[in-house]
């Protein structure tokens, strides 16, 4: 059983208790006019969501087909185009929350320099299906890192529309469970070896808790009490297998393991290197820049009651603010080579995260006096993006219809005039 305070929070989230302002449903509060306005908007928001998993999904591959040749011949071009489309598709999910009035505020360490030039492992607490769109929202102002991410997701999402796109992008879908743990970590390392530098990835994103808060909190508290580990109220004890595998494969290296890049005065070699840099970022594959930082991300929802993906899409909850806190750690100081020390380090990080969430839910601040930075999107850009993708779908439909019809006629009636 969970402790009393945790059970109250779960009851609130499940609607078994009266929800405080900021976490109520639109249709349960407000004037008649506001409820009517929500009902009017609901069909349009539904179409907005469905367009992402239908029209825009098809349009993504409509753009990718003409550049498939470049995946081998000119990979730098291929992954640039793919990365841009991948980021734009993520932005639509970010727009869902923004247009519904769910503002995201950023707190904590300034991560500007880390998304420009560095490779980072991002760890985030996991409460609900709203965590992913929240992260997609904060990624929109993270420059090149936003299109060079590598997400670790549960295998159940692999054949969803976004999962299929993520699979092409290079995201990894992990099979949970003790029976497959060792094999999965080996597969994860191989995937990182094949993808991380070859596609010049910058940020690796994962949820170390391994599941939603409400599903794991009871077993986490029981396990912590039995073994003398921290008792967490708003998070659960993290699992360290994936974090250790990532840092072992693409994390900090000792000086002895760094392989110096060969230098040559040959003009032919110089020309080959120049062509290689145009075709692909060969210097990245040669030097293999490692992950240097671990970014701990803490998401806090109003009153500790998380939103959901459906809430983001349909706007069923009243307008509210979502807080995201950043804390940077030097990856070289993370004891990932020792499993027990890594466990203790991660448990301490999550203990601090839990205390910070408790402070936020009681005072509205992660740190006393700190003001968050609101993430805002231009309405002109939102409307323009929808116009671009709908227009692209219409153009692609006509072009591909013509090509398919012409090829079919040629194959079926090759000698007809």
């Amino acid at each position: 059983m969970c402790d009393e305070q945790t059970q109250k929070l779960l009851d609130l989230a499940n609607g078994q208790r009266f929800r405080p302002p900021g976490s109520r449903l639109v249709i349960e509060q407000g004037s008649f006019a506001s409820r009517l306005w929500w009902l009017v908007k609901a069909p349009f928001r539904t179409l907005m969501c469905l367009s992402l998993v239908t029209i825009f999904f098809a349009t993504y591959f409509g753009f990718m087909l003409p550049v498939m040749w470049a995946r081998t011949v000119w990979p730098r071009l291929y992954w640039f185009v793919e990365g841009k489309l991948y980021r734009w598709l993520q932005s639509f999910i970010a727009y869902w929350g923004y247009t519904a009035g769910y503002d995201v505020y950023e707190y904590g360490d300034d991560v500007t320099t880390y998304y420009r030039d560095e490779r980072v492992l991002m760890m985030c607490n996991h409460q609900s299906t709203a965590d992913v769109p929240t992260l997609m929202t904060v990624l929109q102002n993270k420059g090149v890192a936003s299109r060079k991410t590598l997400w670790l997701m549960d295998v159940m999402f692999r054949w969803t529309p976004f999962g299929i796109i993520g699979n092409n992008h290079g995201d990894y879908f992990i099979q949970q469970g003790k029976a497959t743990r060792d094999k999965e970590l080996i597969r994860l390392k191989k995937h990182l070896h094949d993808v991380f530098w070859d596609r010049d990835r910058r940020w690796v994103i994962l949820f170390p808790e391994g599941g939603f808060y409400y599903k794991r909190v009871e077993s986490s508290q029981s396990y912590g009490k039995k073994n003398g580990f921290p008792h967490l109220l708003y998070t659960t004890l993290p699992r360290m297998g994936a974090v250790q595998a990532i840092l072992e494969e693409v994390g900090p290296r000792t000086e002895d393991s760094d392989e110096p890049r060969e230098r040559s005065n040959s003009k032919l070699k110089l020309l080959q290197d120049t062509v290689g840099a145009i075709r692909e970022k060969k210097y990245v594959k040669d030097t293999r820049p490692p992950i240097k930082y671990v970014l701990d991300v803490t998401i806090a929802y109003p009153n500790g009651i998380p939103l959901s993906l459906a809430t983001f899409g349909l706007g069923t909850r009243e307008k509210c603010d979502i807080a995201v806190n950043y804390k940077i750690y030097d990856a070289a100081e993370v004891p990932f080579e020792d499993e027990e020390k890594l466990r203790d380090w991660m448990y301490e990080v999550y203990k601090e995260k839990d205390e910070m969430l408790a402070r936020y839910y009681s005072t509205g601040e992660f740190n006393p006096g700190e003001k968050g930075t609101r993430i805002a999107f231009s309405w002109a850009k939102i409307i323009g993006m929808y116009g671009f993708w709908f227009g692209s779908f219409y153009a692609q439909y006509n072009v591909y219809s013509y090509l398919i019809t012409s090829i079919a006629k040629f194959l079926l009636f090759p000698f007809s005039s």
Side-chain angles (χ1 to χ4, degrees):
M1 285 289 293
C2 304
D3 62 28
E4 185 178 352
Q5 188 174 354
T6 304
Q7 191 60 52
K8 286 182 180 179
L9 184 62
L10 292 175
D11 289 344
L12 273 175
N14 293 329
Q16 296 177 18
R17 293 172 179 265
F18 174 75
R19 289 189 173 192
S23 51
R24 299 171 300 187
L25 297 177
V26 173
I27 58 174
E28 293 178 349
Q29 55 84 40
S31 63
F32 173 78
S34 64
R35 297 178 188 181
L36 181 62
W37 178 235
W38 180 83
L39 289 173
V40 170
K41 291 190 297 182
F44 294 98
R45 294 195 65 85
T46 302
L47 290 174
M48 182 176 72
C49 297
L50 290 175
S51 67
L52 179 64
V53 297
T54 52
I55 292 175
F56 300 163
F57 173 74
T59 306
Y60 167 88
F61 286 102
F63 277 122
M64 293 309 300
L65 278 176
V67 295
M68 283 298 294
W69 60 272
R71 184 162 182 163
T72 302
V73 180
W74 194 352
R76 188 170 182 178
L77 172 64
Y78 177 86
W79 293 117
F80 173 80
V81 174
E82 192 281 334
K84 284 288 187 182
L85 296 173
Y86 183 82
R87 179 187 180 184
W88 290 345
L89 287 177
Q90 288 189 55
S91 70
F92 284 111
I93 299 178
Y95 297 157
W96 291 356
Y98 183 77
T99 56
Y102 307 139
D103 288 335
V104 178
Y105 286 80
E106 296 179 297
Y107 298 83
D109 294 340
D110 182 4
V111 298
T112 305
T113 57
Y114 304 102
Y115 67 72
R116 287 178 180 170
D117 307 309
E118 303 293 351
R119 282 158 178 80
V120 175
L121 171 61
M122 177 195 283
M123 305 190 308
C124 183
N125 60 317
H126 206 11
Q127 301 177 68
S128 73
T129 52
D131 297 337
V132 171
T134 299
L135 290 183
M136 289 181 176
T137 301
V138 301
L139 282 170
Q140 291 308 302
N141 65 359
K142 299 298 181 290
V144 67
S146 63
R147 62 181 174 87
K148 294 192 174 186
T149 54
L150 194 159
W151 290 74
L152 266 66
M153 294 180 274
D154 192 280
V155 71
M156 66 180 291
F157 297 108
R158 184 166 196 159
W159 300 115
T160 62
F162 193 80
I164 294 172
I165 292 173
N167 192 54
N168 182 57
H169 179 74
D171 296 332
Y172 186 78
F173 299 87
I174 194 164
Q175 178 73 52
Q176 302 276 3
K178 293 182 180 179
T180 59
R181 180 181 183 275
D182 293 337
K183 290 183 180 179
E184 277 300 311
L185 295 180
I186 292 173
R187 288 181 59 240
L188 172 58
K189 284 187 175 183
K190 184 180 184 304
H191 181 80
L192 289 167
H193 184 271
D194 294 341
V195 169
F196 189 70
W197 292 298
D198 188 64
R199 301 183 189 179
D200 189 24
R201 293 297 172 245
R202 302 296 177 88
W203 283 20
V204 180
I205 304 172
L206 81 160
F207 301 96
E209 289 164 285
F212 295 141
Y213 167 80
Y214 73 91
K215 289 184 177 181
R216 293 204 63 242
V217 64
E218 184 176 344
S219 61
S220 171
Q221 291 183 352
S222 176
Y223 179 75
K225 183 178 180 181
K226 182 179 178 180
N227 294 278
F229 295 134
H231 181 79
L232 306 179
L233 296 176
Y234 303 103
T235 59
T236 62
L237 292 171
R239 298 167 180 174
M240 66 287 305
V243 172
Q244 186 174 31
I246 292 166
L247 292 178
E248 284 179 347
E249 188 63 34
V250 296
R253 299 189 296 268
T254 62
E255 293 183 6
D256 293 339
S257 65
D258 286 334
E259 299 176 6
R261 186 182 180 189
E262 294 183 6
R263 296 180 179 273
S264 173
N265 293 324
S266 167
K267 292 183 178 180
L268 177 59
K269 175 65 175 172
L270 182 61
L271 178 61
Q272 290 174 338
D273 287 346
T274 303
V275 173
I278 295 173
R279 289 184 58 251
E280 57 182 336
K281 288 192 174 180
K282 195 171 185 300
Y283 64 89
V284 173
K285 296 172 68 175
D286 288 346
T287 59
R288 299 184 303 161
I291 287 175
K292 289 186 178 180
Y293 300 95
V294 175
L295 175 59
D296 179 47
V297 177
T298 303
I299 299 176
Y301 296 102
N303 309 301
I305 305 174
L307 285 75
S308 67
L309 184 62
T311 306
F312 263 72
L314 300 177
T316 54
R317 263 172 66 168
E318 60 184 329
K319 295 180 180 181
C320 62
D321 296 339
I322 301 170
V324 179
N325 186 79
Y326 303 126
K327 186 170 183 179
I328 281 284
Y329 296 91
D330 189 333
E333 297 176 359
V334 179
F336 62 88
E337 295 176 343
D338 186 299
E339 189 169 324
E340 188 172 323
K341 290 181 179 179
L342 176 62
R343 178 201 65 197
D344 293 342
W345 181 85
M346 291 187 66
Y347 283 4
E348 185 61 30
V349 169
Y350 269 72
K351 181 183 177 183
E352 292 178 9
K353 184 193 292 281
D354 205 72
E355 293 170 351
M356 189 162 48
L357 284 169
R359 187 162 55 248
Y360 180 84
Y361 293 140
S362 62
T363 67
E365 297 177 324
F366 285 116
N367 299 298
E370 181 183 15
K371 301 297 182 182
T373 302
R374 177 174 175 263
I375 296 178
F377 299 105
S378 163
W379 278 96
K381 183 177 180 180
I382 294 173
I383 296 170
M385 286 285 280
Y386 272 93
F388 170 78
W389 282 81
F390 276 116
S392 297
F393 175 78
Y394 178 76
Q396 287 180 13
Y397 175 80
N398 285 294
V399 170
Y400 284 116
S401 295
Y402 173 77
L403 290 174
I404 292 171
T405 302
S406 299
I407 293 172
K409 286 182 178 179
F410 175 77
L411 294 176
L412 295 173
F413 310 103
F415 303 109
S416 61
S417 54

